Amino acid sequence: MSVNKEVKRITTHTVQEMKNRGEKIAMLTAYDYSMATIVDDAGMDIILVGDSASNVMAGHETTLPITLDQMIYHASSVVRAAKRALVIVDLPFGSYQGNSKEALNSAIRIMKESGAHGVKMEGGVEIAESVSRILTAGIPVMGHLGLTPQSIYKFGTYTVRAKQEAEAQKLREDTLALQELGCFAIVVEKIPAMLAKEVTESVQIPIIGIGAGRHCDGQVLVIHDMLGINKGFKPRFLRQYANLYDQMNGAIKNYIGDIKSKDFPNEQEQY
Ligand code: KIV
């Protein structure tokens, strides 16, 4: 008799409970079915279909070019794989900044066409109307503050944000505002660890850090970075858990070598 072990889905309520009891939240990006299957099977709490797909999947220099249709394609592939994880999808640049009606339409398209469980949006009080309208439709929203890559041309660099008091103060206010609006969690990217600790302790909702130190309620990384698929990308905050670039490159070289030397396929590998 086969025992069908039921997998309990992580929800926005689950991650809130995790913060309440002091259990750290694990989040990682994925953009396709095969990777998302591995990530979900490993027991990830949240899978982020990040607009970093623009960089790591499509090879663009920034996250700006990726479209809503492309995000929906990635998200639906991930949703088909994720049996346990909460799947959150980035609203891409240009799909929500214009006006709140457009923002709502974009979020609805993601939810309807991909089957994801919520959206992530970059920005604070400037996007309050859009966040609020999406939340009113019953769609969970995760905020994103600090280094917000969709604004890279405003920042000019990918260095640590909110080191100056004025920017730190805005981040504190934005964190409170996003909580007040009803966001279920907030990503803080590349900010000083002590500021991240302060905002984590100042709100009830989970704060997920990337390059924001150990005091956040959870951590997120881009899967290509932590698996060492991106050759040469080693910022200080990144812990690399594998060196897949070299391993994959080596395996592929062996395959080429075996074809050239007529070793592959051998008699056992044919019909
Ligand atoms: O797009 C992304 O991968 C992200 C994470 C870096 C948080 O937003």
Side-chain angles (χ1 to χ4, degrees), residues 46-60:
I46 306 177
I47 299 182
L48 173 67
V49 185
D51 58 359
S52 49
S54 179
N55 309 107
V56 297
M57 299 301 285
H60 292 296

Side-chain angles (χ1 to χ4, degrees), residues 29 48 50-52 90 120 144 187 189 210 220 222:
T29 67
L48 173 67
D51 58 359
S52 49
D90 265 329
K120 177 163 82 59
H144 185 155
V187 165
E189 179 165 352
I210 172 166
V220 56
V222 168

Side-chain angles (χ1 to χ4, degrees), residues 67-88:
T67 65
L68 186 58
D69 284 335
Q70 288 164 343
M71 287 304 296
I72 290 169
Y73 167 76
H74 287 297
S76 47
S77 308
V78 169
V79 166
R80 281 191 286 275
K83 305 287 176 270
R84 175 182 179 273
L86 178 70
V87 180
I88 301 299

Side-chain angles (χ1 to χ4, degrees), residues 27-245:
M27 172 161 145
L28 187 62
T29 67
Y31 318 96
D32 67 85
Y33 178 82
S34 303
M35 281 280 208
T37 300
I38 298 170
V39 173
D40 194 64
D41 280 353
M44 195 59 56
D45 298 315
I46 306 177
I47 299 182
L48 173 67
V49 185
D51 58 359
S52 49
S54 179
N55 309 107
V56 297
M57 299 301 285
H60 292 296
E61 205 178 304
T62 72
T63 57
L64 276 65
I66 200 160
T67 65
L68 186 58
D69 284 335
Q70 288 164 343
M71 287 304 296
I72 290 169
Y73 167 76
H74 287 297
S76 47
S77 308
V78 169
V79 166
R80 281 191 286 275
K83 305 287 176 270
R84 175 182 179 273
L86 178 70
V87 180
I88 301 299
V89 183
D90 265 329
L91 278 181
F93 176 70
S95 72
Y96 63 100
Q97 291 92 344
N99 63 61
S100 62
K101 187 167 184 290
E102 195 185 350
L104 176 61
N105 287 341
S106 303
I108 287 177
R109 278 202 61 202
I110 287 185
M111 301 298 283
K112 254 187 187 301
E113 295 176 39
S114 78
H117 312 128
V119 297
K120 177 163 82 59
M121 301 165 71
E122 296 185 6
V125 290
E126 322 76 57
I127 58 159
E129 197 185 314
S130 296
V131 171
S132 173
R133 202 155 173 179
I134 293 170
L135 285 164
T136 309
I139 300 172
V141 176
M142 175 181 270
H144 185 155
L145 299 170
L147 176 64
T148 45
Q150 292 177 10
S151 304
I152 187 57
Y153 291 118
K154 185 176 90 183
F155 297 145
T157 82
Y158 285 99
T159 53
V160 180
R161 303 306 313 173
K163 278 165 95 175
Q164 307 301 323
E165 183 46 32
E167 198 177 330
Q169 186 52 26
K170 170 149 172 45
L171 190 133
R172 289 184 194 101
E173 288 163 13
D174 282 342
T175 307
L176 292 174
L178 290 177
Q179 168 173 259
E180 193 63 28
L181 285 168
C183 287
F184 79 91
I186 302 171
V187 165
V188 290
E189 179 165 352
K190 264 193 146 178
I191 63 169
M194 282 303 117
L195 178 61
K197 178 175 191 291
E198 191 191 323
V199 295
T200 300
E201 288 168 359
S202 75
V203 289
Q204 269 84 53
I205 58 172
I207 301 292
I208 315 279
I210 172 166
R214 64 193 319 175
H215 301 287
C216 299
D217 300 304
Q219 299 292 328
V220 56
L221 286 175
V222 168
I223 191 163
H224 290 64
D225 300 342
M226 60 82 77
L227 292 180
I229 298 173
N230 287 334
K231 200 173 163 68
F233 182 68
K234 289 202 182 88
R236 175 180 171 148
F237 70 81
L238 175 65
R239 186 176 294 181
Q240 204 178 295
Y241 288 84
N243 186 351
L244 287 198
Y245 184 95

